[in-house]
Amino acid sequence: MTEETQASPAADVRLDRRSLLLGAGLVAVAGTAYARVPVSRIPQLKRGALDTMIPKTVGPWQFEATSGLVLPAQDSLSDRLYDEIVTRVYVGQNLPTVMLLIAYSNTQDGLLQLHRPETCYPVGGYALTETRVQPLPLTDKISMPARKFTASSPTRTEQVVYWTRVGPDVPTSWSEQRLSVIKSNIRRDIPDGILVRASIVSPDEPSAVETVQSFFQTLAKSVDKKTA
């Protein structure tokens, strides 16, 4: 006999079996991971549809301009974040001017998510009060869990009311928004998202919020008639 040890046929069979099981396990893991990859949904809104959908006349308010609003901060991601942003300034006789912003994104994932107003206003030099959640009734049957805050700068004070929708959810915070994305991804869905914001330049918060609520209720009825 030589000192060199030779592998027995039984050992070869055990190694082959181990390799086979390991390979099968890796294939199963890869298959499961592939099956869990979120799939983008077909865009619910074509580009330009949102601008057409929002009426230029909202009850006693009339569209006047598209400028003058605080916009989401520009960075390398924001250029890819929104498929459409509609900005409107509405004026009415003896009524406060309402500034409306609606931002729509077909893709909400771990990287691209709606910018909440609490992030873009400070970038514009505004100091914010604590945001509070307040039910915002739109119709007799629909009420949105909106957030409101006061944004102050050296030149003006805005009362801001907004809400967001991510897929089927209406999150009221950044953590809820991320959770909504995660839940959709687990269902193998990349949800869409929308931010709806209205603000009034005024130091009187209660009166401004009441006006914004009236504006949104009138807007909901106007959109229903326009799309009926």
Side-chain angles (χ1 to χ4, degrees), residues 130-195:
E130 181 180 358
T131 60
R132 301 186 301 278
V133 178
Q134 174 175 315
L136 181 68
L138 299 180
T139 68
D140 293 338
K141 298 181 179 180
I142 299 176
S143 180
M144 303 299 289
R147 293 188 72 91
K148 65 176 183 177
F149 62 85
T150 301
S152 302
S153 76
T155 58
R156 71 182 189 184
T157 299
E158 277 189 47
Q159 308 299 334
V160 183
V161 179
Y162 79 94
W163 77 84
T164 59
R165 178 187 61 74
V166 176
D169 300 329
V170 186
T172 60
S173 66
W174 178 253
S175 59
E176 288 183 9
Q177 183 173 311
R178 291 182 61 85
L179 181 60
S180 296
V181 173
I182 292 172
K183 290 192 300 183
S184 292
N185 289 169
I186 291 176
R187 296 192 298 266
R188 297 194 61 216
D189 182 32
I190 297 179
D192 65 347
I194 192 166
L195 162 70

Side-chain angles (χ1 to χ4, degrees), residues 27-170:
V27 170
V29 170
T32 301
Y34 178 79
R36 288 293 184 180
V37 172
V39 179
S40 296
R41 63 171 61 192
I42 297 175
Q44 294 185 348
L45 292 177
K46 295 181 179 179
R47 188 173 295 276
L50 188 60
D51 184 67
T52 303
M53 185 183 302
I54 305 302
K56 300 292 180 66
T57 299
V58 179
W61 285 276
Q62 298 287 330
F63 165 72
E64 182 179 70
T66 60
S67 60
L69 285 75
V70 175
L71 300 177
Q74 292 296 309
D75 55 36
S76 59
L77 294 180
S78 62
D79 291 339
R80 298 187 290 122
L81 176 57
Y82 298 111
D83 294 287
E84 187 170 6
I85 297 180
V86 174
T87 59
R88 301 272 180 86
V89 176
Y90 289 89
V91 299
Q93 187 174 6
N94 299 323
L95 290 170
T97 296
V98 178
M99 295 176 288
L100 176 69
L101 181 146
I102 303 177
Y104 177 77
S105 171
N106 183 58
T107 302
Q108 294 290 287
D109 56 26
L111 181 62
L112 299 176
Q113 294 193 42
L114 296 174
H115 288 169
R116 304 183 77 84
E118 290 93 335
T119 62
C120 61
Y121 269 88
V123 172
Y126 288 82
L128 309 185
T129 62
E130 181 180 358
T131 60
R132 301 186 301 278
V133 178
Q134 174 175 315
L136 181 68
L138 299 180
T139 68
D140 293 338
K141 298 181 179 180
I142 299 176
S143 180
M144 303 299 289
R147 293 188 72 91
K148 65 176 183 177
F149 62 85
T150 301
S152 302
S153 76
T155 58
R156 71 182 189 184
T157 299
E158 277 189 47
Q159 308 299 334
V160 183
V161 179
Y162 79 94
W163 77 84
T164 59
R165 178 187 61 74
V166 176
D169 300 329
V170 186

